Amino acid sequence: MTEMVAAAPPTAASRPTEPQRRGPGRPRHADTEPRAYRSALEIFGRRGWSGLTLDGVAAHAGIGKSSIYLRWNDKGELLLDAVRDLQARVPAPDTEGLGIRELLLAHARARADLLTGAYGPALANLCTAAAANPDVLDEIRKVDLARGMCALTEQVEEAVRRGELAPGTAVGPLLEAIEGSILVHYLVNPTATVPELRAGLEGYVTALVDHQLRTLRRQPVPAQP
C-alpha cells in the first residue's frame, strides 16, 4: 500500500505575494504645507476670519485633519504662516539707485499687483479682520504691512535728507496715503472688474504717486518746532 506523505506547509518564500493594503484615511502628501497655505488664503479671502477653520482648510486642500492639527494649534497660526509664505514668494522690487519717484512707483506697483492678484481678497480682509480681532491678528497685519508702502520709511527719510523732498516732509502720511489709496481703489471701485483694475494699474499708480509728490512740492512744509 502506498504510504501517504503529508505536504509540507508553505514557506514565506513560497506563499503568493499579497498586494499591500493602504490603511484608512487620506494618503500623505509631501506638499501638505503649501496646499494648506493656499487653501487658508483662499478661504480667508472669501469668508473672512469667522469663516476660516482648520477643518475647512483640511477639506478644501484635500489633506487629512491630523496633518493640519499636527502642524498648527489654531487658525491664527496657520494664517500667519500662510501670509509669511506668500510674502516670501513675492520678491521685493529692486530699487537700488532709484530716485524718490521711481522708488515709490516700484513699490506702489508691486503692492497694487499683489492686491489685484489671486490672494488680494485675503490681504484686503486682513485690514478689517485685524481691526475686529486685534489680539489675534495684529502680528499677521504687521507681517503684511512689512512688505507694503510703510516699509519704505527709512528710504523716504533718506530722500528727505538728500533734498529730493522738502525738509520736514511727513513721511508716514505720505506712505499711508499711497498704501490706503491703492487699497481703497481695489475695494470700492464701483464698476471695474479685477481684470479691468489690473489693466489700468500702471496708469493709476503713476497718477497716484505723481499727485502725492506734486502736492508735497507745491505746498511749503512748515518747520518743525
Side-chain angles (χ1 to χ4, degrees):
M1 183 173 64
T2 304
E3 184 176 349
M4 300 295 292
V5 179
T11 63
S14 66
R15 293 192 190 103
T17 302
E18 295 184 0
Q20 293 288 332
R21 296 187 178 182
R22 188 184 297 277
R26 298 180 189 267
R28 293 185 177 182
H29 297 281
D31 60 344
T32 292
E33 290 180 359
R35 292 169 65 181
Y37 294 154
R38 289 193 298 269
S39 295
L41 291 172
E42 289 169 4
I43 293 173
F44 182 65
R46 291 201 307 267
R47 304 176 188 171
W49 177 247
S50 62
L52 179 66
T53 65
L54 292 183
D55 287 0
V57 169
H60 187 272
I63 300 170
K65 292 181 183 179
S66 60
S67 296
I68 295 290
Y69 284 95
L70 282 172
R71 287 169 170 80
W72 297 283
N73 292 318
D74 54 50
K75 62 182 181 180
E77 285 187 3
L78 172 53
L79 185 60
L80 176 60
D81 283 350
V83 172
R84 283 175 170 160
D85 176 73
L86 175 62
Q87 300 290 34
R89 290 187 288 108
V90 177
D94 182 6
T95 57
E96 184 68 25
L98 295 184
I100 185 61
R101 179 178 183 272
E102 290 72 23
L103 170 73
L104 294 175
L105 278 174
H107 280 270
R109 189 182 297 118
R111 195 63 172 167
D113 189 62
L114 189 60
L115 279 170
T116 56
Y119 300 117
L123 297 177
N125 273 348
L126 285 177
C127 298
T128 54
N133 306 272
D135 295 338
V136 178
L137 292 176
D138 188 56
E139 186 175 0
I140 301 175
R141 183 183 62 83
K142 289 176 181 176
V143 168
D144 177 49
L145 290 178
R147 291 293 296 274
M149 298 301 298
C150 294
L152 301 180
T153 298
E154 290 185 8
Q155 290 169 277
V156 178
E157 288 175 346
E158 177 59 29
V160 174
R161 288 191 287 271
R162 291 196 305 265
E164 287 191 80
L165 294 174
T169 293
V171 173
L174 167 64
L175 295 174
E176 289 168 5
I178 298 174
E179 175 87 26
S181 295
I182 293 170
L183 179 61
V184 170
H185 181 68
Y186 168 73
L187 288 176
V188 304
N189 197 296
T191 58
T193 63
V194 169
E196 289 170 339
L197 287 173
R198 289 185 68 82
L201 185 153
E202 183 64 27
Y204 174 77
V205 165
T206 300
L208 171 63
V209 169
D210 284 346
H211 172 75
Q212 293 297 324
L213 292 178
R214 279 197 306 270
T215 300
L216 286 175
R217 289 164 178 163
R218 186 170 58 243
Q219 298 178 356
V221 179
Q224 298 296 316

